[in-house]
Amino acid sequence: MTAGLPLPLDELPTPALLVDRVRMEANLTAMAGSIGEAGVALRPHFKTSKCLAVARRQLAHGATGFTCATPAEVALLQNAGIKDILWAHQPVGPAKVAFAVEAVARGGLTIALDSVEVAQPLSEAAAKAGVTVPFALEVDTGLHRAGVDPDKAVATVAALTSMPALELRGVLTHEGHVAKHGSDRAGLEAAGDLAGRTLAQVAEALRADGHECPLVSVGSTPAATSAPFADGVTEARPGTYVYFDANQVGLGSARIEQCAQTVLARVVSAQRPGTVIIDAGIKAMSSDSMATAGILGIVCDASGAPLDGITFANGNEEHGYLTGPGTASLRVGDLLRIIPNHACGTTNMWSFLHFVENGRAVERHPIEARH
């Protein structure tokens, strides 16, 4: 969508969500190369972009399919003709069960399960509809969110595969707990490696119990340099890598100059020394601060270069508070770009994005399947 474009950034209404196309393409190339070196398939998480234009670029860079978190994401991709999808969230409740059966019937969908309680309604609905549901057992490798304990995996799969209309495809994990190591990159890498090896061991235990287990899928951006390289892993599901963000910079997964997503904002008030107000508040950003406690994003100039001595300290709905000695140089009307803490959460706040190149907005694309 390019009506009215290209347009200099100074002429865009603010706030606006921007994606630096050159940086994004470099991120896609780098991850495709790294995962290719690991000898595993690349299945990005769609929640980071929720944008078909971005998804198509990921496919062009070798992605085999996508990971989804919500029914809306699954439906959007299926309606776009993308069929190799992993729904990495338990389909609990009548509406999600009905959707899961219908989506599986359309073809190309695998569903994550981690318990008999989750699987029973799905099994019954699928059997009634004459549909066989491919599933991956979700395994907890340390995050302690969803997922079965590794030592309970064999028994859980035995119970699930005894139910009608369910067919095991493999195992998956989300090793998000590696982020607890913060800037300790060696500790983070070791935790990612352990998660990958743990999942591969579960897959071997399932095979020893007589189950085929072709899919061994790990998933996170910070552990994308470790978990996919564990022997036995077959697939990686990073998401944030497409844009990166301030959290990934804090974790050592990216440099600031790799961050492709920014929020364009203007200074709207400079009434008090040491503080200026911008027109991007919490409704324009993500307040997630996993690795960036105390800030809402990294403040950059209009070109995307970070500014020293300025902290995005707080925000109201439509106002952002920038503090620090560097604010003395800012004036009302100045254009800034903010690297969000968390790209995925920021995406969900917006209905469209602009691709930018050379200081101009060159394309506009919808963000869909939002909550």
PDB file of all heavy atoms in Angstrom, residues 44-47 49-52 55-56 58-59 65-86 106 368-369:
ATOM      1  N   PRO A  44       9.196 -18.749  12.060  1.00  0.00           N
ATOM      2  CA  PRO A  44       9.095 -17.548  12.897  1.00  0.00           C
ATOM      3  C   PRO A  44       7.744 -17.435  13.590  1.00  0.00           C
ATOM      4  O   PRO A  44       6.732 -17.963  13.113  1.00  0.00           O
ATOM      5  CB  PRO A  44       9.278 -16.408  11.891  1.00  0.00           C
ATOM      6  CG  PRO A  44       9.881 -17.027  10.684  1.00  0.00           C
ATOM      7  CD  PRO A  44       9.381 -18.423  10.645  1.00  0.00           C
ATOM      8  N   HIS A  45       7.750 -16.710  14.707  1.00  0.00           N
ATOM      9  CA  HIS A  45       6.497 -16.422  15.401  1.00  0.00           C
ATOM     10  C   HIS A  45       5.866 -15.191  14.765  1.00  0.00           C
ATOM     11  O   HIS A  45       6.476 -14.126  14.704  1.00  0.00           O
ATOM     12  CB  HIS A  45       6.739 -16.187  16.893  1.00  0.00           C
ATOM     13  CG  HIS A  45       5.567 -16.589  17.727  1.00  0.00           C
ATOM     14  ND1 HIS A  45       4.278 -16.134  17.468  1.00  0.00           N
ATOM     15  CD2 HIS A  45       5.461 -17.409  18.806  1.00  0.00           C
ATOM     16  CE1 HIS A  45       3.441 -16.652  18.364  1.00  0.00           C
ATOM     17  NE2 HIS A  45       4.138 -17.439  19.175  1.00  0.00           N
ATOM     18  N   PHE A  46       4.627 -15.349  14.320  1.00  0.00           N
ATOM     19  CA  PHE A  46       3.929 -14.288  13.589  1.00  0.00           C
ATOM     20  C   PHE A  46       3.499 -13.144  14.494  1.00  0.00           C
ATOM     21  O   PHE A  46       3.238 -12.039  14.022  1.00  0.00           O
ATOM     22  CB  PHE A  46       2.721 -14.900  12.878  1.00  0.00           C
ATOM     23  CG  PHE A  46       1.957 -13.944  12.001  1.00  0.00           C
ATOM     24  CD1 PHE A  46       2.563 -13.292  10.955  1.00  0.00           C
ATOM     25  CD2 PHE A  46       0.605 -13.713  12.236  1.00  0.00           C
ATOM     26  CE1 PHE A  46       1.848 -12.421  10.137  1.00  0.00           C
ATOM     27  CE2 PHE A  46      -0.123 -12.857  11.428  1.00  0.00           C
ATOM     28  CZ  PHE A  46       0.495 -12.201  10.373  1.00  0.00           C
ATOM     29  N   LYS A  47       3.419 -13.371  15.805  1.00  0.00           N
ATOM     30  CA  LYS A  47       2.906 -12.334  16.711  1.00  0.00           C
ATOM     31  C   LYS A  47       3.768 -11.081  16.702  1.00  0.00           C
ATOM     32  O   LYS A  47       3.287 -10.000  17.065  1.00  0.00           O
ATOM     33  CB  LYS A  47       2.811 -12.880  18.133  1.00  0.00           C
ATOM     34  CG  LYS A  47       4.149 -13.159  18.793  1.00  0.00           C
ATOM     35  CD  LYS A  47       3.996 -13.616  20.237  1.00  0.00           C
ATOM     36  CE  LYS A  47       5.365 -13.879  20.875  1.00  0.00           C
ATOM     37  NZ  LYS A  47       5.261 -14.278  22.282  1.00  0.00           N
ATOM     38  N   SER A  49       5.058  -9.407  14.168  1.00  0.00           N
ATOM     39  CA  SER A  49       4.682  -8.435  13.129  1.00  0.00           C
ATOM     40  C   SER A  49       3.182  -8.344  12.898  1.00  0.00           C
ATOM     41  O   SER A  49       2.672  -7.266  12.617  1.00  0.00           O
ATOM     42  CB  SER A  49       5.364  -8.781  11.808  1.00  0.00           C
ATOM     43  OG  SER A  49       4.728  -9.877  11.176  1.00  0.00           O
ATOM     44  N   LYS A  50       2.480  -9.449  12.966  1.00  0.00           N
ATOM     45  CA  LYS A  50       1.043  -9.484  12.623  1.00  0.00           C
ATOM     46  C   LYS A  50       0.787  -8.756  11.302  1.00  0.00           C
ATOM     47  O   LYS A  50      -0.241  -8.110  11.107  1.00  0.00           O
ATOM     48  CB  LYS A  50       0.200  -8.857  13.743  1.00  0.00           C
ATOM     49  CG  LYS A  50       0.172  -9.643  15.048  1.00  0.00           C
ATOM     50  CD  LYS A  50      -0.689  -8.930  16.071  1.00  0.00           C
ATOM     51  CE  LYS A  50      -0.759  -9.663  17.397  1.00  0.00           C
ATOM     52  NZ  LYS A  50      -1.717 -10.773  17.376  1.00  0.00           N
ATOM     53  N   CYS A  51       1.728  -8.880  10.394  1.00  0.00           N
ATOM     54  CA  CYS A  51       1.681  -8.142   9.132  1.00  0.00           C
ATOM     55  C   CYS A  51       2.040  -9.087   7.997  1.00  0.00           C
ATOM     56  O   CYS A  51       3.147  -9.645   7.976  1.00  0.00           O
ATOM     57  CB  CYS A  51       2.650  -6.960   9.179  1.00  0.00           C
ATOM     58  SG  CYS A  51       2.718  -5.987   7.664  1.00  0.00           S
ATOM     59  N   LEU A  52       1.130  -9.264   7.045  1.00  0.00           N
ATOM     60  CA  LEU A  52       1.368 -10.204   5.960  1.00  0.00           C
ATOM     61  C   LEU A  52       2.530  -9.774   5.068  1.00  0.00           C
ATOM     62  O   LEU A  52       3.246 -10.623   4.527  1.00  0.00           O
ATOM     63  CB  LEU A  52       0.097 -10.380   5.128  1.00  0.00           C
ATOM     64  CG  LEU A  52      -1.039 -11.132   5.820  1.00  0.00           C
ATOM     65  CD1 LEU A  52      -2.291 -11.118   4.957  1.00  0.00           C
ATOM     66  CD2 LEU A  52      -0.636 -12.571   6.137  1.00  0.00           C
ATOM     67  N   ALA A  55       5.478 -11.084   6.812  1.00  0.00           N
ATOM     68  CA  ALA A  55       5.478 -12.547   6.730  1.00  0.00           C
ATOM     69  C   ALA A  55       5.961 -13.026   5.370  1.00  0.00           C
ATOM     70  O   ALA A  55       6.718 -14.000   5.274  1.00  0.00           O
ATOM     71  CB  ALA A  55       4.082 -13.088   7.016  1.00  0.00           C
ATOM     72  N   ARG A  56       5.556 -12.355   4.327  1.00  0.00           N
ATOM     73  CA  ARG A  56       5.975 -12.764   2.983  1.00  0.00           C
ATOM     74  C   ARG A  56       7.482 -12.569   2.795  1.00  0.00           C
ATOM     75  O   ARG A  56       8.132 -13.355   2.096  1.00  0.00           O
ATOM     76  CB  ARG A  56       5.171 -11.997   1.934  1.00  0.00           C
ATOM     77  CG  ARG A  56       3.698 -12.401   1.911  1.00  0.00           C
ATOM     78  CD  ARG A  56       2.924 -11.771   0.774  1.00  0.00           C
ATOM     79  NE  ARG A  56       1.533 -12.220   0.786  1.00  0.00           N
ATOM     80  CZ  ARG A  56       0.498 -11.480   1.180  1.00  0.00           C
ATOM     81  NH1 ARG A  56       0.702 -10.224   1.584  1.00  0.00           N
ATOM     82  NH2 ARG A  56      -0.729 -11.968   1.176  1.00  0.00           N
ATOM     83  N   GLN A  58       9.614 -12.942   5.239  1.00  0.00           N
ATOM     84  CA  GLN A  58      10.211 -14.052   5.981  1.00  0.00           C
ATOM     85  C   GLN A  58      10.172 -15.337   5.158  1.00  0.00           C
ATOM     86  O   GLN A  58      11.134 -16.108   5.153  1.00  0.00           O
ATOM     87  CB  GLN A  58       9.480 -14.225   7.316  1.00  0.00           C
ATOM     88  CG  GLN A  58       9.761 -13.092   8.287  1.00  0.00           C
ATOM     89  CD  GLN A  58       8.925 -13.157   9.548  1.00  0.00           C
ATOM     90  OE1 GLN A  58       7.700 -13.107   9.479  1.00  0.00           O
ATOM     91  NE2 GLN A  58       9.577 -13.269  10.687  1.00  0.00           N
ATOM     92  N   LEU A  59       9.066 -15.560   4.451  1.00  0.00           N
ATOM     93  CA  LEU A  59       8.993 -16.726   3.577  1.00  0.00           C
ATOM     94  C   LEU A  59      10.037 -16.642   2.469  1.00  0.00           C
ATOM     95  O   LEU A  59      10.669 -17.648   2.109  1.00  0.00           O
ATOM     96  CB  LEU A  59       7.587 -16.844   2.978  1.00  0.00           C
ATOM     97  CG  LEU A  59       6.473 -17.228   3.953  1.00  0.00           C
ATOM     98  CD1 LEU A  59       5.112 -17.098   3.266  1.00  0.00           C
ATOM     99  CD2 LEU A  59       6.665 -18.644   4.489  1.00  0.00           C
ATOM    100  N   GLY A  65       7.221 -21.897   7.514  1.00  0.00           N
ATOM    101  CA  GLY A  65       5.855 -21.667   7.962  1.00  0.00           C
ATOM    102  C   GLY A  65       5.920 -20.709   9.133  1.00  0.00           C
ATOM    103  O   GLY A  65       6.914 -20.011   9.324  1.00  0.00           O
ATOM    104  N   PHE A  66       4.858 -20.681   9.947  1.00  0.00           N
ATOM    105  CA  PHE A  66       4.804 -19.720  11.036  1.00  0.00           C
ATOM    106  C   PHE A  66       4.267 -20.348  12.310  1.00  0.00           C
ATOM    107  O   PHE A  66       3.534 -21.337  12.291  1.00  0.00           O
ATOM    108  CB  PHE A  66       3.932 -18.514  10.655  1.00  0.00           C
ATOM    109  CG  PHE A  66       4.568 -17.643   9.622  1.00  0.00           C
ATOM    110  CD1 PHE A  66       4.288 -17.821   8.278  1.00  0.00           C
ATOM    111  CD2 PHE A  66       5.496 -16.670   9.976  1.00  0.00           C
ATOM    112  CE1 PHE A  66       4.899 -17.048   7.319  1.00  0.00           C
ATOM    113  CE2 PHE A  66       6.110 -15.892   9.020  1.00  0.00           C
ATOM    114  CZ  PHE A  66       5.815 -16.071   7.686  1.00  0.00           C
ATOM    115  N   THR A  67       4.632 -19.726  13.415  1.00  0.00           N
ATOM    116  CA  THR A  67       4.071 -20.018  14.722  1.00  0.00           C
ATOM    117  C   THR A  67       3.047 -18.941  15.042  1.00  0.00           C
ATOM    118  O   THR A  67       3.272 -17.766  14.736  1.00  0.00           O
ATOM    119  CB  THR A  67       5.172 -20.004  15.806  1.00  0.00           C
ATOM    120  OG1 THR A  67       6.238 -20.845  15.391  1.00  0.00           O
ATOM    121  CG2 THR A  67       4.626 -20.459  17.139  1.00  0.00           C
ATOM    122  N   CYS A  68       1.939 -19.334  15.660  1.00  0.00           N
ATOM    123  CA  CYS A  68       0.900 -18.385  16.029  1.00  0.00           C
ATOM    124  C   CYS A  68       0.537 -18.534  17.496  1.00  0.00           C
ATOM    125  O   CYS A  68       0.691 -19.609  18.083  1.00  0.00           O
ATOM    126  CB  CYS A  68      -0.355 -18.592  15.181  1.00  0.00           C
ATOM    127  SG  CYS A  68      -0.151 -18.169  13.442  1.00  0.00           S
ATOM    128  N   ALA A  69       0.017 -17.456  18.075  1.00  0.00           N
ATOM    129  CA  ALA A  69      -0.435 -17.484  19.459  1.00  0.00           C
ATOM    130  C   ALA A  69      -1.950 -17.484  19.568  1.00  0.00           C
ATOM    131  O   ALA A  69      -2.495 -17.982  20.544  1.00  0.00           O
ATOM    132  CB  ALA A  69       0.129 -16.286  20.223  1.00  0.00           C
ATOM    133  N   THR A  70      -2.652 -16.920  18.586  1.00  0.00           N
ATOM    134  CA  THR A  70      -4.096 -16.724  18.708  1.00  0.00           C
ATOM    135  C   THR A  70      -4.839 -17.296  17.504  1.00  0.00           C
ATOM    136  O   THR A  70      -4.263 -17.430  16.404  1.00  0.00           O
ATOM    137  CB  THR A  70      -4.437 -15.230  18.811  1.00  0.00           C
ATOM    138  OG1 THR A  70      -4.149 -14.590  17.544  1.00  0.00           O
ATOM    139  CG2 THR A  70      -3.628 -14.553  19.912  1.00  0.00           C
ATOM    140  N   PRO A  71      -6.136 -17.597  17.672  1.00  0.00           N
ATOM    141  CA  PRO A  71      -6.938 -18.022  16.524  1.00  0.00           C
ATOM    142  C   PRO A  71      -6.949 -16.990  15.402  1.00  0.00           C
ATOM    143  O   PRO A  71      -6.941 -17.355  14.224  1.00  0.00           O
ATOM    144  CB  PRO A  71      -8.334 -18.211  17.130  1.00  0.00           C
ATOM    145  CG  PRO A  71      -8.094 -18.513  18.564  1.00  0.00           C
ATOM    146  CD  PRO A  71      -6.891 -17.691  18.942  1.00  0.00           C
ATOM    147  N   ALA A  72      -6.964 -15.717  15.761  1.00  0.00           N
ATOM    148  CA  ALA A  72      -6.990 -14.679  14.735  1.00  0.00           C
ATOM    149  C   ALA A  72      -5.745 -14.729  13.864  1.00  0.00           C
ATOM    150  O   ALA A  72      -5.815 -14.522  12.646  1.00  0.00           O
ATOM    151  CB  ALA A  72      -7.131 -13.301  15.379  1.00  0.00           C
ATOM    152  N   GLU A  73      -4.588 -14.989  14.468  1.00  0.00           N
ATOM    153  CA  GLU A  73      -3.355 -15.103  13.691  1.00  0.00           C
ATOM    154  C   GLU A  73      -3.403 -16.317  12.768  1.00  0.00           C
ATOM    155  O   GLU A  73      -3.011 -16.241  11.596  1.00  0.00           O
ATOM    156  CB  GLU A  73      -2.161 -15.207  14.632  1.00  0.00           C
ATOM    157  CG  GLU A  73      -1.872 -13.936  15.416  1.00  0.00           C
ATOM    158  CD  GLU A  73      -0.831 -14.118  16.500  1.00  0.00           C
ATOM    159  OE1 GLU A  73      -0.255 -15.226  16.617  1.00  0.00           O
ATOM    160  OE2 GLU A  73      -0.594 -13.155  17.247  1.00  0.00           O
ATOM    161  N   VAL A  74      -3.889 -17.437  13.296  1.00  0.00           N
ATOM    162  CA  VAL A  74      -4.022 -18.644  12.469  1.00  0.00           C
ATOM    163  C   VAL A  74      -4.924 -18.366  11.278  1.00  0.00           C
ATOM    164  O   VAL A  74      -4.591 -18.696  10.129  1.00  0.00           O
ATOM    165  CB  VAL A  74      -4.571 -19.815  13.305  1.00  0.00           C
ATOM    166  CG1 VAL A  74      -4.876 -21.013  12.401  1.00  0.00           C
ATOM    167  CG2 VAL A  74      -3.588 -20.221  14.397  1.00  0.00           C
ATOM    168  N   ALA A  75      -6.082 -17.761  11.535  1.00  0.00           N
ATOM    169  CA  ALA A  75      -7.053 -17.507  10.468  1.00  0.00           C
ATOM    170  C   ALA A  75      -6.486 -16.566   9.415  1.00  0.00           C
ATOM    171  O   ALA A  75      -6.683 -16.768   8.209  1.00  0.00           O
ATOM    172  CB  ALA A  75      -8.337 -16.934  11.064  1.00  0.00           C
ATOM    173  N   LEU A  76      -5.791 -15.521   9.847  1.00  0.00           N
ATOM    174  CA  LEU A  76      -5.216 -14.568   8.894  1.00  0.00           C
ATOM    175  C   LEU A  76      -4.240 -15.252   7.955  1.00  0.00           C
ATOM    176  O   LEU A  76      -4.282 -15.057   6.728  1.00  0.00           O
ATOM    177  CB  LEU A  76      -4.527 -13.434   9.654  1.00  0.00           C
ATOM    178  CG  LEU A  76      -3.837 -12.376   8.798  1.00  0.00           C
ATOM    179  CD1 LEU A  76      -4.840 -11.634   7.928  1.00  0.00           C
ATOM    180  CD2 LEU A  76      -3.064 -11.395   9.689  1.00  0.00           C
ATOM    181  N   LEU A  77      -3.354 -16.074   8.505  1.00  0.00           N
ATOM    182  CA  LEU A  77      -2.375 -16.755   7.669  1.00  0.00           C
ATOM    183  C   LEU A  77      -3.029 -17.788   6.760  1.00  0.00           C
ATOM    184  O   LEU A  77      -2.678 -17.898   5.579  1.00  0.00           O
ATOM    185  CB  LEU A  77      -1.310 -17.414   8.545  1.00  0.00           C
ATOM    186  CG  LEU A  77      -0.372 -16.468   9.287  1.00  0.00           C
ATOM    187  CD1 LEU A  77       0.569 -17.247  10.190  1.00  0.00           C
ATOM    188  CD2 LEU A  77       0.431 -15.608   8.316  1.00  0.00           C
ATOM    189  N   GLN A  78      -3.961 -18.547   7.290  1.00  0.00           N
ATOM    190  CA  GLN A  78      -4.644 -19.530   6.440  1.00  0.00           C
ATOM    191  C   GLN A  78      -5.402 -18.847   5.309  1.00  0.00           C
ATOM    192  O   GLN A  78      -5.370 -19.313   4.164  1.00  0.00           O
ATOM    193  CB  GLN A  78      -5.595 -20.387   7.274  1.00  0.00           C
ATOM    194  CG  GLN A  78      -4.892 -21.423   8.133  1.00  0.00           C
ATOM    195  CD  GLN A  78      -5.845 -22.432   8.725  1.00  0.00           C
ATOM    196  OE1 GLN A  78      -6.975 -22.108   9.099  1.00  0.00           O
ATOM    197  NE2 GLN A  78      -5.396 -23.686   8.830  1.00  0.00           N
ATOM    198  N   ASN A  79      -6.063 -17.742   5.607  1.00  0.00           N
ATOM    199  CA  ASN A  79      -6.803 -17.021   4.562  1.00  0.00           C
ATOM    200  C   ASN A  79      -5.871 -16.431   3.514  1.00  0.00           C
ATOM    201  O   ASN A  79      -6.284 -16.176   2.375  1.00  0.00           O
ATOM    202  CB  ASN A  79      -7.652 -15.914   5.186  1.00  0.00           C
ATOM    203  CG  ASN A  79      -8.823 -16.453   5.983  1.00  0.00           C
ATOM    204  OD1 ASN A  79      -9.258 -17.587   5.784  1.00  0.00           O
ATOM    205  ND2 ASN A  79      -9.345 -15.652   6.897  1.00  0.00           N
ATOM    206  N   ALA A  80      -4.606 -16.221   3.897  1.00  0.00           N
ATOM    207  CA  ALA A  80      -3.608 -15.709   2.953  1.00  0.00           C
ATOM    208  C   ALA A  80      -2.940 -16.832   2.174  1.00  0.00           C
ATOM    209  O   ALA A  80      -2.031 -16.580   1.381  1.00  0.00           O
ATOM    210  CB  ALA A  80      -2.560 -14.892   3.697  1.00  0.00           C
ATOM    211  N   GLY A  81      -3.379 -18.071   2.412  1.00  0.00           N
ATOM    212  CA  GLY A  81      -2.831 -19.209   1.679  1.00  0.00           C
ATOM    213  C   GLY A  81      -1.607 -19.830   2.301  1.00  0.00           C
ATOM    214  O   GLY A  81      -0.954 -20.673   1.676  1.00  0.00           O
ATOM    215  N   ILE A  82      -1.279 -19.443   3.541  1.00  0.00           N
ATOM    216  CA  ILE A  82      -0.123 -19.999   4.246  1.00  0.00           C
ATOM    217  C   ILE A  82      -0.626 -21.140   5.122  1.00  0.00           C
ATOM    218  O   ILE A  82      -1.442 -20.933   6.012  1.00  0.00           O
ATOM    219  CB  ILE A  82       0.577 -18.927   5.091  1.00  0.00           C
ATOM    220  CG1 ILE A  82       1.107 -17.817   4.171  1.00  0.00           C
ATOM    221  CG2 ILE A  82       1.712 -19.532   5.908  1.00  0.00           C
ATOM    222  CD1 ILE A  82       1.575 -16.582   4.894  1.00  0.00           C
ATOM    223  N   LYS A  83      -0.144 -22.345   4.884  1.00  0.00           N
ATOM    224  CA  LYS A  83      -0.757 -23.535   5.477  1.00  0.00           C
ATOM    225  C   LYS A  83       0.086 -24.249   6.526  1.00  0.00           C
ATOM    226  O   LYS A  83      -0.437 -25.046   7.280  1.00  0.00           O
ATOM    227  CB  LYS A  83      -1.105 -24.537   4.364  1.00  0.00           C
ATOM    228  CG  LYS A  83      -2.131 -24.034   3.357  1.00  0.00           C
ATOM    229  CD  LYS A  83      -3.481 -23.764   4.004  1.00  0.00           C
ATOM    230  CE  LYS A  83      -4.535 -23.400   2.971  1.00  0.00           C
ATOM    231  NZ  LYS A  83      -5.839 -23.099   3.605  1.00  0.00           N
ATOM    232  N   ASP A  84       1.387 -24.007   6.576  1.00  0.00           N
ATOM    233  CA  ASP A  84       2.237 -24.736   7.523  1.00  0.00           C
ATOM    234  C   ASP A  84       2.343 -23.915   8.799  1.00  0.00           C
ATOM    235  O   ASP A  84       3.228 -23.072   8.957  1.00  0.00           O
ATOM    236  CB  ASP A  84       3.606 -24.986   6.910  1.00  0.00           C
ATOM    237  CG  ASP A  84       4.427 -25.982   7.723  1.00  0.00           C
ATOM    238  OD1 ASP A  84       3.959 -26.400   8.803  1.00  0.00           O
ATOM    239  OD2 ASP A  84       5.523 -26.339   7.282  1.00  0.00           O
ATOM    240  N   ILE A  85       1.421 -24.163   9.737  1.00  0.00           N
ATOM    241  CA  ILE A  85       1.260 -23.310  10.914  1.00  0.00           C
ATOM    242  C   ILE A  85       1.280 -24.158  12.176  1.00  0.00           C
ATOM    243  O   ILE A  85       0.659 -25.224  12.240  1.00  0.00           O
ATOM    244  CB  ILE A  85      -0.064 -22.523  10.835  1.00  0.00           C
ATOM    245  CG1 ILE A  85      -0.091 -21.639   9.585  1.00  0.00           C
ATOM    246  CG2 ILE A  85      -0.271 -21.675  12.091  1.00  0.00           C
ATOM    247  CD1 ILE A  85      -1.456 -21.051   9.279  1.00  0.00           C
ATOM    248  N   LEU A  86       1.981 -23.667  13.180  1.00  0.00           N
ATOM    249  CA  LEU A  86       1.973 -24.263  14.510  1.00  0.00           C
ATOM    250  C   LEU A  86       1.264 -23.305  15.453  1.00  0.00           C
ATOM    251  O   LEU A  86       1.708 -22.168  15.647  1.00  0.00           O
ATOM    252  CB  LEU A  86       3.406 -24.513  14.984  1.00  0.00           C
ATOM    253  CG  LEU A  86       3.590 -24.999  16.428  1.00  0.00           C
ATOM    254  CD1 LEU A  86       2.927 -26.359  16.626  1.00  0.00           C
ATOM    255  CD2 LEU A  86       5.065 -25.062  16.790  1.00  0.00           C
ATOM    256  N   ARG A 106      -8.952 -27.411   7.489  1.00  0.00           N
ATOM    257  CA  ARG A 106      -8.489 -26.636   6.324  1.00  0.00           C
ATOM    258  C   ARG A 106      -7.099 -27.067   5.891  1.00  0.00           C
ATOM    259  O   ARG A 106      -6.690 -26.796   4.769  1.00  0.00           O
ATOM    260  CB  ARG A 106      -8.496 -25.140   6.654  1.00  0.00           C
ATOM    261  CG  ARG A 106      -9.882 -24.572   6.915  1.00  0.00           C
ATOM    262  CD  ARG A 106      -9.825 -23.092   7.219  1.00  0.00           C
ATOM    263  NE  ARG A 106      -9.410 -22.309   6.062  1.00  0.00           N
ATOM    264  CZ  ARG A 106      -9.318 -20.980   6.070  1.00  0.00           C
ATOM    265  NH1 ARG A 106      -9.580 -20.301   7.180  1.00  0.00           N
ATOM    266  NH2 ARG A 106      -8.948 -20.340   4.978  1.00  0.00           N
ATOM    267  N   GLU A 368      -2.729  -6.794  11.475  1.00  0.00           N
ATOM    268  CA  GLU A 368      -4.027  -7.450  11.619  1.00  0.00           C
ATOM    269  C   GLU A 368      -3.960  -8.498  12.735  1.00  0.00           C
ATOM    270  O   GLU A 368      -2.928  -8.693  13.357  1.00  0.00           O
ATOM    271  CB  GLU A 368      -4.415  -8.089  10.285  1.00  0.00           C
ATOM    272  CG  GLU A 368      -4.452  -7.076   9.148  1.00  0.00           C
ATOM    273  CD  GLU A 368      -4.757  -7.703   7.798  1.00  0.00           C
ATOM    274  OE1 GLU A 368      -5.940  -7.830   7.456  1.00  0.00           O
ATOM    275  OE2 GLU A 368      -3.776  -8.078   7.120  1.00  0.00           O
ATOM    276  N   ALA A 369      -5.102  -9.132  12.979  1.00  0.00           N
ATOM    277  CA  ALA A 369      -5.187 -10.189  13.996  1.00  0.00           C
ATOM    278  C   ALA A 369      -4.767  -9.683  15.364  1.00  0.00           C
ATOM    279  O   ALA A 369      -4.125 -10.371  16.144  1.00  0.00           O
ATOM    280  CB  ALA A 369      -4.342 -11.406  13.586  1.00  0.00           C
TER     281      ALA A 369
END
